[in-house]
């Protein structure tokens, strides 16, 4: 999550013992940001607010009622803080003064170190103030409704801006379809995602640093951390289960292992090359890391292996920010990123693909006769992308383009693989995007042979269902992650496809155990096959109907498979898998059957099936 957002959200917590209006809160925040003189009562209120927020106890677990009360206050206080910021910006306050005031609040409340506070606020504030100054429709409700969007409650902190309600137009089904085209050659694809390469990773450094990302050069042990040998401090050589990203040599090992152990025709790289140190990213660091990744891949895989890349939310500067193409000013536009990546990925893109990629970061290309791959930039619909408030229709333009590409593929008798970094149905994406994407998949289900996602780092998949009769119609496969952030083993996948339909025949996942690898830092990690999808789950194929039956078997007749899926979900992580109880396992299954945010009917169906069989 964006550190600047963590700061704003922490401002919005912990007031269960206060009956205070949004107007009062707005005055407190506004006067602090102005550095204005306070009355004795205002000063007392400000001090009380800061004191509550300083206490570590406001983050501890509470009763459901208290949690709901706190969540409601989150929304109230988020809107109050943003309203104060709106008021000051519209009165002409400059970014420099606002930046310093926000940094002061961030450090006073011990939200993060001064270094992190300064970096996060400095990287993000100018975008927010630009949007406030140039978007008459922008309100505190816009910002808070997005960043506080939850997976379980559509009525929480609602955003009533009509600009956020839109619909894509879908063409009529083609009656006389062109027969699908294929040369009949086998197709094997290597899948890798979320490498999160950290150029500052320090082996045997500090893994409990008190900052959002650790194991980095120059960090010191957190003041709140008490060392015990059980914690496996210091940082591991090959990575670390804690909030640490991937050292370059661990990334190199992943690529070398793939190249030496497998033969494949294509690589799907599903994004997020940049690490999680979002408070200190720079244009130079981002460029250098992207160049390192593609040069290593091309050198190891060879020029005969096609790489089809996708943009992750961590690629931009600052992190998560993807401006519409109408924004051209320096340090605001995203065109710099598309141009920079185009220069690095040029070898793998056609002229047509280059044109669309340069415009918005999407592209489509034929990878062999009968199979088209569409790389879709989902980051414009990411709820942490501030630019959504500026132009909520930008994500629609990407989906409109997707519809055009799918219709052309359908007309030509081609099958399609869609690559998106952020998977559908998660609370990270704006609700309307998940709804409209689901409609697109329904319309073109006979053309879309498979989908692939990254972002979540866990190993999971998603099933799409027909809007007309509830049939399973499509499957989106998660790639896992080649980073240990947070509490995962690294992995990559090898997928084989039917040479005529281009549907997945099998998917095999490869991992190494991080605890074991770090015991022998001078020896390369021991990679092993975690699972073979067909054999381990005893299924004959990977089509949507089979995967739907598998999910229902997990909660009824074959609950041992639920345990298996839970273990594979974290890729046998030593610090995650053993702690997943029954409720955790069902939550993981719910993610499979939820492809539209807040549509949880199939989730509740699975939950009911499981608990009816496992009554206490």
């Amino acid at each position: 999550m964006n550190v600047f957002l963590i700061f704003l959200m922490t401002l919005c917590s912990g007031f269960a013992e206060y009956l205070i209006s949004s107007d009062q809160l707005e005055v407190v925040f506004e006067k602090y940001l102005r550095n204005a003189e306070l009355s004795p009562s205002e000063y007392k209120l400000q001090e009380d607010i800061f004191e509550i927020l300083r206490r570590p106890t406001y983050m501890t677990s509470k009763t459901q009622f208290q949690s709901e009360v706190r969540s409601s206050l989150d929304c109230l206080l988020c809107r109050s803080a943003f309203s104060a910021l709106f008021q000051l910006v519209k009165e002409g306050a400059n970014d420099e003064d606002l930046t310093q005031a926000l940094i002061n609040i961030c450090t006073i409340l011990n939200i993060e170190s001064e270094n992190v506070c300064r970096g996060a606020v400095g990287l993000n504030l100018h975008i927010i103030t630009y949007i406030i100054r140039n978007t008459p429709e922008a309100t505190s409700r816009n910002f808070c409704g997005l960043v506080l969007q939850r997976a379980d409650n559509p009525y929480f902190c609602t955003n009533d801006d009509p600009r956020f309600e839109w619909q894509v137009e879908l063409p009529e089904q083609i009656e006389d379809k062109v027969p699908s085209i294929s040369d009949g050659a086998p197709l094997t694809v290597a899948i890798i995602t979320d490498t999160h390469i950290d150029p500052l990773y320090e082996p045997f450094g500090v893994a409990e640093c008190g900052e959002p990302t650790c194991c980095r050069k120059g960090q010191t042990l957190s003041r709140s951390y008490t060392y015990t040998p059980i914690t496996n401090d210091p940082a591991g050589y090959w990575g670390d289960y804690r909030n640490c990203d991937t050292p370059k040599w661990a990334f190199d090992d992943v690529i070398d292992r793939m190249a030496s152990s497998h033969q494949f025709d294509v690589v799907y790289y599903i994004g997020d090359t940049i690490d999680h140190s979002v408070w200190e990213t720079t244009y130079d660091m981002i460029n250098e890391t992207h160049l390192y990744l593609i040069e290593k891949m091309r050198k190891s895989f060879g020029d005969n292996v096609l790489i089809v890349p996708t943009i992750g939310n961590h690629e931009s500067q600052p992190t998560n920010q993807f401006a519409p193409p109408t924004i051209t000013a320096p340090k605001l536009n995203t065109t710099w990123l598309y141009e920079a990546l185009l220069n690095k990925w040029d070898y793998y893109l056609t002229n047509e693909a280059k044109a669309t990629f340069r415009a918005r970061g999407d592209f489509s290309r034929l990878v062999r006769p009968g199979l088209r791959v569409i790389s879709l930039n989902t980051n414009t619909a990411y709820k942490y992308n501030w630019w959504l408030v500026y132009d909520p229709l930008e994500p629609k333009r990407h989906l409109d383009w997707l519809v055009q590409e799918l219709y052309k593929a359908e007309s030509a008798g081609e099958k399609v693989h869609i690559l998106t970094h952020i998977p559908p149905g998660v609370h990270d994406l704006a609700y309307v995007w998940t709804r409209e994407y689901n409609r697109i998949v329904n319309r073109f289900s006979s053309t879309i042979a498979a989908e692939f996602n990254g972002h979540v780092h866990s190993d999971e998949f998603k099933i799409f269902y027909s809007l007309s009769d509830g049939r399973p119609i499509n499957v989106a496969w998660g790639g896992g992650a080649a980073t240990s952030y947070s509490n995962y083993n690294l992995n990559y996948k090898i997928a084989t496809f039917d040479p005529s339909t281009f549907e997945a025949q099998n998917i095999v996942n490869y991992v190494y155990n991080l605890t074991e690898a770090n015991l022998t830092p001078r020896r390369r990690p021991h990679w092993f096959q975690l699972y073979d999808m067909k054999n381990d789950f005893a299924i004959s194929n990977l089509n949507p109907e089979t995967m739907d039956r598998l999910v229902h078997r997990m909660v009824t007749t074959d609950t041992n498979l639920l345990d298996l899926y839970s273990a594979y979900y974290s890729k046998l992580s030593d610090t995650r898998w053993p702690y997943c109880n029954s409720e955790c396992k069902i939550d993981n299954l719910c993610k499979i059957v939820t492809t539209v945010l807040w549509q949880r009917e199939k989730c509740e169906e699975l939950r009911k099936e499981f608990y009816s069989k496992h009554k206490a």
Side-chain angles (χ1 to χ4, degrees), residues 423-426 460-464 474-477 591-592 594-595:
V426 297
E460 54 189 273
F461 62 94
K462 286 184 173 288
I463 302 173
F464 289 84
N474 229 289
V475 181
W477 301 99
K591 296 174 184 176
I592 295 176
T594 304
T595 54

Side-chain angles (χ1 to χ4, degrees), residues 299-345:
K299 180 180 179 181
S300 296
F301 298 153
D303 286 347
N304 292 328
V305 174
L306 173 66
I307 298 175
V308 185
T310 308
I311 299 178
N313 58 292
H314 274 263
E315 325 299 8
S316 59
Q317 171 71 348
T319 306
N320 304 329
Q321 303 313 303
F322 287 79
T326 53
I327 300 297
T328 58
K331 297 188 177 180
L332 289 174
N333 75 80
T334 311
T335 305
W336 74 269
L337 175 63
Y338 303 148
E339 292 284 357
L341 290 177
L342 191 59
N343 290 335
K344 299 170 183 62
W345 295 346

